[in-house]
Amino acid sequence: MKQVAAPNLKRPSPHYRPSVLRRLKKDKWLYLLLLPGLLYFLLFKYVPMWGVLLAFKNYQPFTGFWNSEWVGVEHFRIFFSNPEFFMLLRNTLILSFYNLVFFFPAPIILAILLNEIRVAIFKRTVQTLIYVPHFISMVIVASMTYVFLTTEGGPVNELLYTYTGRKIEFLASPDWFRPMIIVQTIWKECGWGTIIFLAALAAVDVEQYEAAIMDGANRWKQIWHITLPSISSTIIILLILRMGNVLENGFEQIYLLLNPLNREVAEVFDTYVYMMGITQGAFSYSTAVGLFKAIIGVILVLGSNYLAKKFGQSGLY
């Protein structure tokens, strides 16, 4: 019986990489779906970046952008020598530190607690309730804070007066400004932040929990040895992204609670840029402050990503 020789099929080299055109042709529909997002970032994020040149000019609206005087790093020199610089830096870093310590772990803890709920209808109800504050405007949140904490008929101060005989100036006291900001942030964004962590928890292999139960591990040991290590990469990536916003505390939230009595602890870079750029018309100076924030954010992201890779964690790239 005559044997037919098998066709000589050449296996592609392990180092073979298809050309760019071939990859585009093969996955053309995926790239087409990617196109709107690319156009958004190109038009609204990268094209406006030429505006950072304002930081190196003495911009005057009547002379125009290109005809304004070039002053180099003069605005940066004025900003760094400003006595308020260290106050702004201190207030911004303290608020960012409080957010990292108190707010960042809150969605993780809440997501783990929700993941332990076995009654589906109760779990969905709780999730819906904790998502709602995210959609409430910060103006409404600040108004609610004022209504609850004001000394003129606020329920919190009325209770304090009933049981202690005194009232506390929450809205005007520098000591209470930072706790108010952190509590607002946790109440408004904690539930929404659980979405990513719940998605990561859903990908954890159930067989690991079954094996742990067979070994006699209780709930706390399962969370510590299985749940947290399984979502550690997600936690690290979000922490790296959070580091990029260390000098950004949210303008609207702080501005709505800022007043002359608590300014020494409430004034941050975001509100300072608004005050100098919009209310006083120092466009070039405020652009320099914003550029300083952006550069520090990039350095922190790259540095934290490097440290994460150094310690064997998966970084952003």
Side-chain angles (χ1 to χ4, degrees), residues 73-283:
V73 296
E74 180 65 17
H75 296 301
F76 294 95
R77 186 191 65 79
I78 296 173
F79 175 55
F80 294 141
S81 60
N82 191 331
E84 292 188 333
F85 171 74
F86 291 102
M87 179 196 73
L88 296 171
L89 184 63
R90 182 189 70 243
N91 294 342
T92 303
L93 291 179
I94 290 176
L95 273 178
S96 297
F97 175 75
Y98 285 172
N99 274 313
L100 283 175
V101 172
F102 297 106
F103 170 68
F104 183 77
I108 304 173
I109 297 171
L110 185 57
I112 292 174
L113 293 176
L114 288 173
N115 191 58
E116 295 297 316
I117 298 176
R118 295 294 176 258
V119 183
I121 187 171
F122 178 69
K123 181 178 180 178
R124 288 195 296 268
T125 302
V126 173
Q127 284 181 274
T128 303
L129 291 175
I130 63 177
Y131 292 164
V132 169
H134 172 77
F135 300 98
I136 300 177
S137 169
M138 186 53 70
V139 176
I140 304 300
V141 175
S143 301
M144 294 169 58
T145 303
Y146 177 83
V147 170
F148 277 98
L149 299 181
T150 180
T151 55
E152 303 298 328
V156 174
N157 267 309
E158 291 299 323
L159 287 174
L160 285 174
Y161 185 77
T162 301
Y163 291 102
T164 64
R166 64 187 186 93
K167 296 182 179 182
I168 299 177
E169 292 279 356
F170 291 104
L171 300 172
S173 173
D175 297 332
W176 285 98
F177 176 79
R178 290 165 182 155
M180 281 194 302
I181 292 294
I182 300 304
V183 170
Q184 277 187 351
T185 304
I186 293 176
W187 178 80
K188 189 175 186 299
E189 301 296 342
C190 182
W192 188 255
T194 61
I195 294 177
I196 296 177
F197 295 109
L198 285 173
L201 289 170
V204 180
D205 189 3
V206 181
E207 293 183 357
Q208 297 185 42
Y209 292 107
E210 296 175 351
I213 293 173
M214 295 294 294
D215 292 336
N218 56 27
R219 283 288 183 189
W220 291 110
K221 290 184 178 179
Q222 292 175 40
I223 292 173
W224 184 257
H225 295 287
I226 298 176
T227 304
L228 287 176
S230 298
I231 64 174
S232 61
S233 59
T234 304
I235 296 174
I236 293 298
I237 289 174
L238 292 178
L239 181 60
I240 293 173
L241 295 175
R242 171 70 63 176
M243 293 301 296
N245 295 323
V246 163
L247 296 185
E248 294 186 12
N249 302 114
F251 161 76
E252 189 177 16
Q253 181 185 16
I254 296 176
Y255 181 73
L256 291 170
L257 294 179
L258 176 65
N259 58 64
L261 296 176
N262 60 20
R263 182 181 179 273
E264 61 180 276
V265 299
E267 189 80 80
V268 294
F269 287 120
D270 296 318
T271 56
Y272 184 72
V273 168
Y274 170 79
M275 181 187 68
M276 298 301 297
I278 303 300
T279 64
Q280 298 188 19
F283 300 109

